Amino acid sequence: MTQSAKVDEPRRLIDRFGRVHNNLRISVTDRCNIRCFYCMPADNVEFMPRTELLSFEEIERVVRIGTTVGIDRVRLTGGEPLVRRDLHLLIEKLAAIPGIFDIGLTTNAVLLGEQAQKLKDAGLQRLNISLDALDPEVFKRVTRRDSYDKVIEGIQAARAAGFSPIKLNAVAVKGMTEDQIIPFAQLARETDTEVRFIEFMPLDADSKWQKEKVLLAADIVARIEAEFGKLQPVPSSNPNAPANDFVFADGVGRIGLIASVSQPFCSTCNRFRITADGKLRNCLFSHEESDIRDLLRHDGTDEDIAAAMLMCIAAKEAGHQINSADFVQPDRPMYSIGG
Ligand code: SAM
Ligand code: SF4
């Protein structure tokens, strides 16, 4: 290779372990309209002042610069992203950035009924809906709010707007959601819905997580197999996807297991995050952040911001330490990081 070819090589977000990062998860707010116990406190939540949140223009700039170091897919999250006013306008801006091929959103769907079509029209391609229970009473216990009907309305609106398949993410918690597993599996078999069960992670605001409360992926599989017969593992279409995917023995229906605690997928991680107040994080469980908002608001150049991204990824650890005795839960809970 000639010297000039080397100089011209595009810079990429590659860490010490060779992982290439092309996927930026963007939190647009830490506010939320429900109070899932594994994420937020029940009450007296102190939210970030609105002036601290990145503006849509600032987020657009970050993503545009990110494309120069290899970002090609983004996912909007929060907090609840749909409580951020006019979110579809941000999606329009991101969809217009050359080099961004994939825009996703993770939502609790409470406000999706009124926004699904607008989001689709703006260019949103993927939608993950978080729903931990199909029983309204269990939903209320988990979320500490009575919004189940709005969520169902939101899911219907998403279907009507053309999002397909609908992906449902269900956090599985011992002593709370075991009896929801079979109904979810049934739903996956009967409708165009991919259900993914997520192990409960130590990111709750109350720091009450205990390993004993994690409903393990292996237990979930065992329960489903006891009811429907052997599940068949299927390769994921995306090698960086965190879920292990399965189909039922008769080929009808698909489910996924995100075994973040019992089978960490850190070795194939391609994601990093920016919090709603503009801090870059290379891992959910990181204790370090890098302040991009400060650069954005105090004359940081595009090169400064690209360099901050490269340094953030260069400092990434091999994996999280949930299963080690030394594990320390990060100061920020999930709603403040952006899940
Ligand atoms: N509010 C949106 C929602 O709930 O979809 C987006 C933000 S939420 C923090 C993103 C995802 O993180 C949701 O699927 C949620 O269930 C998941 N989550 C939150 N806290 C979690 C925890 N402690 N363990 C596992 N998953 C968690
Ligand atoms: Fe809100 Fe999502 Fe956290 Fe639930 S998981 S409290 S919906 S941010």
Side-chain angles (χ1 to χ4, degrees), residues 26 31 45 50 61 78 123 138 153 168 170 175 177 187 197 216 270 286 313 316 336:
I26 303 167
R31 283 160 212 263
V45 193
R50 287 204 164 80
R61 181 170 173 218
V138 181
E153 197 184 300
L168 290 188
T177 64
L187 184 78
F197 297 98
L216 298 172
N270 66 342
S286 169
I313 297 305
K316 185 158 170 159
S336 166

Side-chain angles (χ1 to χ4, degrees), residues 78-256:
E80 171 46 40
L82 299 188
V83 304
R84 179 85 188 246
R85 206 163 65 199
D86 293 330
L87 189 74
H88 65 286
L89 298 181
L90 174 62
I91 291 171
E92 268 174 22
K93 285 182 191 298
L94 300 182
I97 297 177
I100 292 298
F101 299 114
D102 193 288
I103 303 177
L105 173 82
T106 301
T107 174
N108 63 30
V110 174
L111 296 174
L112 198 53
E114 53 209 71
Q115 297 190 34
Q117 190 63 56
K118 253 193 302 195
L119 296 167
K120 182 83 180 160
D121 295 344
L124 181 65
Q125 287 150 293
R126 291 168 193 265
L127 191 57
N128 286 358
I129 295 174
S130 306
L131 175 63
D132 305 322
L134 291 170
D135 175 330
E137 284 308 311
V138 181
F139 175 90
K140 203 160 147 187
R141 275 209 293 285
V142 173
T143 64
R144 304 186 279 213
R145 291 289 184 276
D146 200 0
S147 311
Y148 181 81
D149 292 346
K150 294 286 287 175
V151 174
I152 300 303
E153 197 184 300
I155 295 173
Q156 284 162 354
R159 277 191 210 292
F163 289 102
S164 174
I166 296 288
K167 288 196 177 175
L168 290 188
N169 289 345
V171 177
V173 187
K174 229 182 218 169
M176 205 165 201
T177 64
E178 283 96 338
D179 60 355
Q180 302 303 299
I181 293 170
I182 300 304
F184 270 125
Q186 199 73 50
L187 184 78
R189 289 176 59 72
E190 290 170 359
T191 61
D192 175 30
T193 309
E194 269 181 49
V195 179
R196 302 192 311 174
F197 297 98
I198 306 176
E199 288 180 346
F200 175 24
M201 293 181 281
L203 290 167
D204 54 319
D206 300 329
S207 297
K208 296 243 172 76
W209 180 91
Q210 290 170 324
K211 199 147 186 202
E212 299 69 54
K213 293 185 186 162
V214 181
L215 189 48
L216 298 172
D219 291 348
I220 297 172
V221 168
R223 282 168 190 269
I224 296 176
E225 290 188 335
E227 183 78 19
F228 298 103
K230 198 102 186 104
L231 290 169
Q232 312 294 329
V234 282
S236 170
S237 51
N238 172 2
N240 302 109
N244 291 324
D245 289 335
F246 297 86
V247 290
F248 292 83
D250 59 5
V252 179
R254 189 180 176 106
I255 62 155

Side-chain angles (χ1 to χ4, degrees), residues 32 34-36 38-40 78-80 108 335:
C32 189
I34 59 178
R35 292 286 181 276
C36 305
Y38 49 70
C39 176
M40 291 189 95
E80 171 46 40
N108 63 30
Y335 75 95

Side-chain angles (χ1 to χ4, degrees), residues 305-322:
I305 292 169
M309 288 184 195
L310 289 158
M311 279 168 61
C312 170
I313 297 305
K316 185 158 170 159
E317 299 293 339
H320 68 58
Q321 298 298 320
I322 298 177

